[in-house]
Amino acid sequence: MHIQFLDKTNWKAISKERRVRYQPVYATRGNIYSDNDVSSGNESILATSLPFYRVAFDPTIAETQVFNAGVDSLAMLLARFYGDKSEDHYRRRIKNARTNGRRYIRLNSRQINYQDKKMMAQWPIFRAGKNRGGVIFEKVEKRFKPFGLLAERTIGFVNVDKNGAGLEFSFNDNLSGTDGEALFERIAGGNKPIYDGTEVKPQHGYDIKTTIDINLQDVAENALYKALAKTDADYGCVIMMEVKTGEIKAIANLGKTKGGYIEDYNYAVGNQGRTEPGSTFKLASMMALFEHTNVKLSDSVDTGHGSFRIKGRTMTDSKIGGYGKITVQEVFEKSSNIGVAKLTEEYFGNNPKAFTDYLNRFGLGSTLGFQMDGEARPYLKSPQDRSWSATSLASMSIGYELKLSPLQTLAFYNAVANNGVKIQPIIVKEIRKTDNVIQTFQTRVLDEKICSDETLKKLRAMMEGVVEHGTAKNIRSNDYKVAGKTGTARKVKNGKYVKTYSTSFVGYFPADNPKYSCIVIIDSPRGVNVYGGDVAAPVFKELADKAYARDLAMHKPLLARVVPNKESMPDIRSGSLDDLSLICNKIGISSHSKSPDEDWVHVEPQKRSLVFKPNPVNDAIVPDVTGMTLRDALFILENQRLRVKVEGTGKRVQRQSLAPGATIEKEGQIILVLS
């Protein structure tokens, strides 16, 4: 009685004060784009925030006449739209809330999209707006990835605790924007906004433009998935980047789960992907040798019968019986552990620190300063370490007793492709606000010259030999040259090396003018052939073939090799004037047209030239397509609304069932006989 009646005024004031408070109004998160021209409007969105809404209502605001005239229709529309409750339920709920003076009810928990919001805003009572009709559209934003799971881990996420991974987390400060605030009243059923002019509008997040090529990303993930599924491997990753710019065009990471393979971790960059690289590290060992000595590619190394004891450790080669006496070039091509270890011991055995100093000089002991959080720190053993042993030098020379991430290995190989210039890989090019560029990122040069030109020449020759004659000859291409190195490293389990492998291939193409570098890791493949050349290299080739096919700048000009034979006219009979003129100009055949305004022509050979005669195509008249290629004939006939049936095989139309010049009947059919 004392609280309810005697102190009523005091407690009401306190209640009202506590019901009204400022709450954040969250900013819209910025978009993440692939590497397209954002200003042209043709960009591909990798991640965006889509607005959704929950519909709430203050039934006390509307005037009595407006409310009574619209409540029945409003209840009917709500019941039809949501389909969960009856019309009578919505009518009774709204009227009861108005009668009891309730200023906020959430009509339904289901979220609606923007188009539904626009439609509902025109419904009875609602159409009067939030101040006179009482409708409240509560905005709820959802992060949406138009390409589904493509590059999922690279795009990443940010959770409610502000923790996360990938680009979403690494660039969260730019993407998130600045939240605003507004006055909200806490009432039964939820929080109702009060627009009193004191609200602060949120500053929406910036967009980021990545270097990712969505087409190459798709090929990388599909090729990786097929290789993992085929070999039942534990995980895999692929990175592809441009040699000169360091821009990462594709980065795929797939790990094995009960349901298949998903992007569960960024193996390409993070600690879980940091492993002993195995034979791909032999490039660094050979670089150190060439910088330190005068060793030539033609020099001989006796690798013996496939087993060799070095300071108490037995080292073996993959070939049973060994390779015997081979050249330094062949040591690399065949990936001879014995050959590399013997050379390293011969020239660095008395001073192993000189070897590790070279590795650090090449930047292999340092992080790259990558734009995404979580880059693994490389581990290079030093002779000063307590764990250093008499066999550490030989082990390190073939890629053991050290750890690198795939991205760090790729950056090293990319430096060889880039004439010795080691650059920092990048994955974000720009930060934008609508069409305005706020910040631009360019790759940073980490080392102007990683080694001498003479060393580079030897290294590139060895890497090309791996694909031409060595462990990766299965991916040799007749269209372009590839340079690279396979890797097959034993895994450690319970402190011991076991017969489970991490396989890899890393290289660049075209070898004579490098455009792209790429690394592929397939970890713990199962089956008979579990070497890097068998498992990882084919993934590299599939991605390289796709990149080569779509980049005309890398193609060799085939027409330049054609010697025109003017004694024999080409087999050209009929077709598009523009196409036929272009062909004649390219192969050096004289031609001229009697009617240059015509689109379609017949061809008449005259001595050493071709004459184009008009072949008019008119509406409602059957055209003459004899002598045309099937493609041209189909284009013309189907545009004339004719149903085309094809008989025979060949390149050109020999006969047509409807005579040229005849009237086209409605839904008529024409039969083409090919020869």
Side-chain angles (χ1 to χ4, degrees), residues 287-299:
M287 183 182 287
L289 280 165
F290 293 144
E291 289 290 277
H292 190 68
T293 71
N294 293 320
V295 170
K296 301 180 180 62
L297 296 182
S298 57
D299 289 349

Side-chain angles (χ1 to χ4, degrees), residues 53 112-123 137:
Y53 304 87
I112 64 171
N113 60 33
Y114 180 72
Q115 295 300 323
D116 292 334
K117 172 182 176 287
K118 286 179 63 178
M119 175 188 69
M120 296 176 78
Q122 302 304 315
W123 286 1
F137 292 108

